[in-house]
Amino acid sequence: MAIGSGLGAQLGIAPESTYGTYVAPTQFIEFTKEGLQLKKTTAQSAGIAAGRLLPLSSRRVVTQRQASGSIDLEVTTKAMGLLLQALMGTSVTPVQQETTTAYLQTHTLADVAGKSLTIQKGVPLTTGTVTRKNFLGCKVVSGEFSCGVGEMLTASFEIDAKDVEETSVLAAASYPTMAPFHFTQMAVKTGTYSSEAARSGIRKASVKIERPQDVERFYAGASGLKAEPITNDQVKITGSLEMDYVDTILDDLHTSDAATSLVLEFIGATIEDTYAETFRITLPAVRFDEAPPVVDGFGIIKPTLSFTGLFDGTNQPRIEYISTDATL
């Protein structure tokens, strides 16, 4: 029996070959919070009948079913590939680095068509019995990554799902040995693409990638369930840097509105030879929207610079992930 509280909860995920068709979880992720829930639309018949003071219970119907919510977690040195693939869109096969046990995943921005997940949620009753809810057709509609002084690198994924079912069996959770990425390992770099230099004074960085999709594709003949969402707008990439005002390099970019490549990088323990656990977001072109170095007291000036990620005409944004995962 599991512990009858959140301590006994679990989340398992698996890639789907067909949108909305259940696949038993193949991987289990450690998470800090989740908000996945069924959303149903109901309609109540309200025909006038002499003397009837309340609508008939038997005349209420469910006209649509879908689900949505978020998953918050620490970014770890293993088991992140499926979520990153669902966010970025590229079909990724980890590439072995020479003959080592290090494998590189390169998640380049692409359309997310066909990238859906089954997410199984195990929720414990107080008795220790774990109930299961299987979220089918899960599409990642946004992902936000953030790390500041003294913090872990965290991620928050917004999910849209086709349906929820509770019949498939609860999978037995198992977790690989892994570690979190954190502030000590963080570097923020800007400059010419592929030749970026580390910036000093950065106290916190965040990047959000939004994947707009039409999530209201409800058609007749589909039992009130949606068709797979389709991308219906351009990708939106935004973020911010909190810093001490140690130099004017980023402030000058705000003033001139010039573009720069931006890299948010975390380098962990060495896996083998020269290859280390790595999580790296590369945005080939960003422009700073706000960078107000205002004086609001006696202390060090601490501007927060917000930016927008754009296309440089050649290179797509990407997330690189080096781990010992030979498969996603």
Side-chain angles (χ1 to χ4, degrees), residues 38-227:
L38 170 68
K39 293 186 176 182
K40 61 185 182 183
T41 301
T42 62
Q44 178 67 57
S45 175
I48 296 172
R52 184 182 297 157
L53 300 179
L54 283 172
L56 283 172
S57 174
S58 61
R59 301 272 288 274
R60 171 168 151 153
V61 295
V62 177
T63 59
Q64 292 174 228
R65 289 170 60 91
Q66 57 184 316
S68 63
S70 61
I71 300 173
D72 295 352
L73 69 161
E74 297 171 353
V75 178
T76 53
T77 55
K78 288 181 69 69
M80 292 296 301
L82 288 177
L83 287 171
L84 296 177
Q85 178 175 261
L87 170 66
M88 298 300 286
T90 299
S91 296
V92 172
T93 299
V95 177
Q96 185 178 16
Q97 302 300 285
E98 298 183 31
T99 58
T100 71
T101 55
Y103 288 81
L104 169 64
Q105 300 175 26
T106 302
H107 298 270
T108 305
L109 189 69
D111 188 22
V112 292
K115 299 298 185 296
S116 63
L117 304 169
T118 292
I119 301 179
Q120 183 183 76
K121 178 169 76 169
V123 184
L125 300 172
T126 56
T127 59
T129 298
V130 180
T131 65
R132 73 265 188 189
K133 295 182 182 296
N134 300 301
F135 292 79
L136 312 178
C138 294
K139 302 283 286 187
V140 175
V141 295
S142 75
E144 183 169 14
F145 305 90
S146 179
C147 185
V149 174
E151 296 177 353
M152 303 294 189
L153 171 61
T154 60
S156 180
F157 294 93
E158 291 290 332
I159 306 294
D160 176 84
K162 178 178 181 178
D163 197 14
V164 182
E165 59 97 336
E166 300 177 355
T167 55
S168 299
V169 299
L170 182 70
S174 61
Y175 304 92
T177 300
M178 54 192 177
F181 289 103
H182 53 85
F183 181 77
T184 303
Q185 304 164 334
M186 185 173 85
V188 175
K189 303 177 181 180
T190 63
T192 303
Y193 176 75
S194 78
S195 299
E196 300 89 352
R199 298 273 72 87
S200 60
I202 306 297
R203 301 178 58 83
K204 185 172 184 177
S206 66
V207 176
K208 184 174 185 179
I209 301 171
E210 299 177 65
R211 307 305 309 263
Q213 296 165 66
D214 187 337
V215 298
E216 296 294 332
R217 298 184 64 215
F218 292 95
Y219 305 137
S223 303
L225 302 177
K226 70 175 70 175

Side-chain angles (χ1 to χ4, degrees), residues 316-327:
Q316 293 287 3
R318 66 181 185 272
I319 298 176
E320 294 166 290
Y321 184 58
I322 299 178
S323 73
T324 56
D325 290 332
T327 63

